[in-house]
């Protein structure tokens, strides 16, 4: 991880200005940062999304889910260098996987296209990563976070699912189903994403824990969607999240059983006895 922490110099650019990107008054980084935005018919919301993105970002990758409005044109007008990739299949998970594959940055940030996320928070995520975390996980329920968008039923559901994951996988999350996250690119090799829907966020959160990666929660405020209606369906997608949790738990047990009965382990036990 190539990064540097240094005090700001008043009135003078740092000597390494060509190498490091200043992202705050006390932090400059070398790793390029890619922001992935999955979008389908979000032309009206993109101005609110792009205006909060910091100008030191290396690239913005917009994954177009076959929009029927002018989402792509608006994105190109707002961010001339935006990289637009067409989504191959359907679902948020599929869109994110497509976007991740197109990224060239060392750090990848996931941002929703509905205007609910504040791009100014990206500095907090990146700061956590260059300070040693592998995965910076946004949380609406950590101290300093909040949400304007969740109903009581969704809050209860998120709490219940989060509790299950914490108990079954040894995590210490305060939020489970939130799409504002950032991570080092190398994490993708260890979590092997293979789902297509909204449950992708839960799958990522579980697999980073299973992979032994260092996770740091970042307090985040979720705002109301500005225009349009969400494709999220609380009951349907809640069951999909639960299905992922149960599947990952079953896989963990299977791996543990396989390890206990491996020929290598049997040989070691024989030598010890």
């Amino acid at each position: 991880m190539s990064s540097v922490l240094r005090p700001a110099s008043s009135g003078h650019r740092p000597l390494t200005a060509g190498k490091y990107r200043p992202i705050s008054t006390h932090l400059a980084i070398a790793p390029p940062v890619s922001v992935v935005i999955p979008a389908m018919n979000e032309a009206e919301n993109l101005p609110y999304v792009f205006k909060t993105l910091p100008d030191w970002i290396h690239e913005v990758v917009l994954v177009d889910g076959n929009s029927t409005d002018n989402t792509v044109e608006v994105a190109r007008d707002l961010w001339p260098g935006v990289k637009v990739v067409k989504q191959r299949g359907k679902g948020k998970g599929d869109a994110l996987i497509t976007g991740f594959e197109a990224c060239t940055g060392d750090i990848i940030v996931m941002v929703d296209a509905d205007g609910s996320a504040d791009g100014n928070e990206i500095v907090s995520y990146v700061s956590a990563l260059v300070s040693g975390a592998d995965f910076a996980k946004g949380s609406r329920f950590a101290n300093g976070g909040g949400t304007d968008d969740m109903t009581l039923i969704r809050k209860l559901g998120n709490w219940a699912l989060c509790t299950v994951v914490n108990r079954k996988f040894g995590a210490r999350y305060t939020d489970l189903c939130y799409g504002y996250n950032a991570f080092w690119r190398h994490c993708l090799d260890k979590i092997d994403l293979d789902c297509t829907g909204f449950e992708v966020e839960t799958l990522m959160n579980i697999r980073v824990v299973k992979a032994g990666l260092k996770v740091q929660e970042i307090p985040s405020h979720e705002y109301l969607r500005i225009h349009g209606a969400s494709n999220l369906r609380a009951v349907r997608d809640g069951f999909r999240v639960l299905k992922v949790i149960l599947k990952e738990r079953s896989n963990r047990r299977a791996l543990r059983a396989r390890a206990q009965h491996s020929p290598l382990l049997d040989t070691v036990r024989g030598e010890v006895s």
Side-chain angles (χ1 to χ4, degrees), residues 135-246:
F135 192 88
K137 179 189 175 304
S139 173
R140 296 160 291 187
F141 303 109
N143 187 27
T147 176
D148 300 331
D149 189 49
M150 294 184 77
T151 62
L152 178 60
I153 295 299
R154 284 181 57 199
K155 287 180 180 178
L156 289 173
N158 185 57
W159 172 82
L161 293 169
C162 189
T163 300
V164 172
V165 167
N166 287 343
R167 290 180 178 176
K168 297 300 182 182
F169 298 96
R172 300 177 65 182
Y173 294 144
T174 60
D175 198 352
L176 185 67
C177 308
Y178 190 41
Y180 201 173
N181 304 296
F183 53 90
W184 290 97
R185 185 181 181 86
H186 69 76
C187 294
L188 293 173
D189 297 329
K190 300 177 181 178
I191 60 179
D192 191 25
L193 298 177
D194 54 4
C195 71
T196 60
F198 280 100
E199 69 275 14
V200 65
E201 294 143 4
T202 297
L203 183 67
M204 293 180 75
N205 293 333
I206 292 175
R207 289 189 176 173
V208 294
V209 171
K210 291 170 67 175
L213 298 174
K214 184 178 179 180
V215 181
Q216 181 173 332
E217 284 198 333
I218 306 298
S220 177
H221 193 99
E222 178 187 38
Y223 297 90
L224 288 170
R225 162 181 277 274
I226 299 172
H227 296 287
S230 172
N231 292 318
L232 176 68
R233 298 294 178 267
V235 176
R236 178 200 65 187
D237 293 308
F239 276 112
R240 294 185 69 164
V241 168
L242 181 59
K243 184 177 179 181
V244 163
I245 295 172
L246 296 176

Side-chain angles (χ1 to χ4, degrees), residues 4 64 73 75 98 118 136 138 149 175 208-209 241 251-252 266-267:
V4 62
D64 178 40
E73 291 78 7
T98 300
D118 182 359
D149 189 49
D175 198 352
V208 294
V209 171
V241 168
N251 290 345
R252 188 180 184 187
D266 291 341
T267 300

Side-chain angles (χ1 to χ4, degrees), residues 2-197:
S2 179
S3 62
V4 62
L5 283 165
R6 62 180 60 185
S9 55
S10 58
H12 300 282
R13 295 174 65 86
L15 295 177
T16 52
K19 181 179 179 181
Y20 293 101
R21 293 178 176 84
I23 67 173
S24 75
T25 56
H26 295 284
L27 177 64
I29 63 170
V33 177
S34 299
V35 173
V36 176
I37 305 175
M40 183 176 68
N41 297 328
E42 298 284 8
E44 290 185 290
N45 290 321
L46 289 184
Y48 301 91
V49 177
F50 279 82
K51 75 177 181 180
T52 67
L53 295 180
D55 57 9
W56 46 262
I57 288 173
H58 164 64
E59 67 180 354
V60 176
V61 177
L62 182 92
V63 185
D64 178 40
N66 301 302
S67 299
T68 56
D69 66 0
N70 59 336
T71 289
V72 173
E73 291 78 7
V74 169
R76 286 176 172 152
D77 287 341
L78 294 168
W79 201 280
V82 67
K83 180 185 293 185
V84 177
V85 292
K86 286 289 185 181
Q87 184 174 351
R88 297 185 296 264
K90 295 181 178 180
K92 185 175 184 180
D94 181 85
L96 286 172
I97 292 171
T98 300
F100 295 160
E101 291 175 350
C103 289
T104 60
D106 295 330
I107 290 175
I108 299 175
V109 184
M110 304 156 48
V111 176
D112 286 341
D114 58 5
S116 62
D118 182 359
N120 291 306
E121 294 179 358
I122 290 177
V123 64
S124 298
Y125 289 82
V126 172
S127 296
L129 295 175
V130 299
S131 296
D134 296 304
F135 192 88
K137 179 189 175 304
S139 173
R140 296 160 291 187
F141 303 109
N143 187 27
T147 176
D148 300 331
D149 189 49
M150 294 184 77
T151 62
L152 178 60
I153 295 299
R154 284 181 57 199
K155 287 180 180 178
L156 289 173
N158 185 57
W159 172 82
L161 293 169
C162 189
T163 300
V164 172
V165 167
N166 287 343
R167 290 180 178 176
K168 297 300 182 182
F169 298 96
R172 300 177 65 182
Y173 294 144
T174 60
D175 198 352
L176 185 67
C177 308
Y178 190 41
Y180 201 173
N181 304 296
F183 53 90
W184 290 97
R185 185 181 181 86
H186 69 76
C187 294
L188 293 173
D189 297 329
K190 300 177 181 178
I191 60 179
D192 191 25
L193 298 177
D194 54 4
C195 71
T196 60

